[in-house]
Amino acid sequence: MTFTDAKQRFSNRVADYVRYRPGYPSALIALLGAECGLKPDHAIADIGSGTGLLSRLFLENGNRVFGVEPNEEMRRAGQEYLACYQNFSSVTGSSEATTLPASSVDFVTAAQAFHWFEPVATRREFLRILKPRGWVCILWNDRRICETSFGRAYEDLLVRYGTDYARVKEAYPETQDMEKFFGKEVFHPRELRNFQEFDFDGLAGRLRSSSYAPKEGHANYAPMMAELGKLFGANQTSGQVRMDYTTQIYFGQLDALRNSA
């Protein structure tokens, strides 16, 4: 599922996104090395690269990374965040039209972004820019909702005060969506554990970074923040709360689809 405003939803949330969104486990590099043969000399197209959270992992591995991002504000933030990496190139483009040359990259990645893509046009574009036998890796951080009282209370807050939380949550891909994209039995699912720890200001920033969180001035904003304060007070330990995630990872090759693309 995609939304007409998907490419602009985060324009007024960039500062909070940069500071408070979770990164990705460093173990991802070892996993892709073992499973997909990732090497430091491989070129990566990070699609929907945003503020550069995933791109940085590959840059630290020595990879050449093309960060493709349609949102101008997010793209500028990524450029600033990754300015010290000579192997990073910021690209104005989208999953359907990356502007990258054909057969130019070894890996295509998409982190916390695939649910905004139009899958048919995206698959065609990924096939175009990938070298033969190249890999696609799709991943996102999935909050572990039910394991703690904090996780359950935070989820309830989003349901009550989020502007379109249910619609966005339903858009996150499931196994059947990966089957449609990669082809049945052509992809591999994996999971890694991830977490963040926040003081109250950090937790508030994490909430504000979400596209479905009401902005200041919205009728839901003040009661949402008041409820967040109560939630933090009831669950903090030494002034911190922990938000747990599962990093969901799907990777595979699209070569079998080349003739039909």
Side-chain angles (χ1 to χ4, degrees), residues 57-179:
L57 274 186
F58 291 107
L59 291 165
E60 290 177 343
N61 189 51
N63 296 104
R64 183 87 170 90
V65 178
F66 300 91
V68 179
E69 173 55 50
N71 182 283
E72 182 178 356
E73 290 81 5
M74 295 285 276
R75 190 172 59 253
R76 287 178 178 174
Q79 291 168 353
E80 182 177 349
Y81 180 61
L82 301 173
C84 63
Y85 294 96
Q86 294 184 347
N87 281 346
F88 180 70
S89 295
S90 180
V91 179
T92 303
S94 67
S95 68
E96 303 90 351
T98 64
T99 77
L100 296 176
S103 302
S104 60
V105 297
D106 302 283
F107 281 75
V108 172
T109 62
Q112 213 78 22
F114 184 81
H115 56 298
W116 301 118
F117 298 167
E118 196 293 307
V120 175
T122 293
R123 183 171 55 244
R124 184 185 307 118
E125 179 69 350
F126 285 8
L127 277 165
R128 187 186 70 80
I129 66 176
L130 274 169
K131 297 176 183 178
R133 306 302 296 168
W135 290 87
V136 175
C137 179
I138 296 166
L139 65 154
W140 62 91
N141 286 310
D142 195 8
R143 278 183 299 103
R144 302 176 75 91
I145 294 170
C146 298
E147 295 183 1
T148 65
S149 59
F150 169 74
R152 293 188 294 272
Y154 189 82
E155 174 72 5
D156 182 60
L157 182 146
L158 298 180
V159 170
R160 281 187 289 152
Y161 297 109
T163 55
D164 59 350
Y165 175 63
R167 189 166 71 117
V168 175
K169 184 179 179 181
E170 288 173 2
Y172 271 79
E174 303 286 349
T175 299
Q176 60 266 27
D177 299 303
M178 295 296 99
E179 289 179 352

Side-chain angles (χ1 to χ4, degrees), residues 6 51 106 111 113 195 228:
T51 60
D106 302 283
F195 72 92
L228 187 70

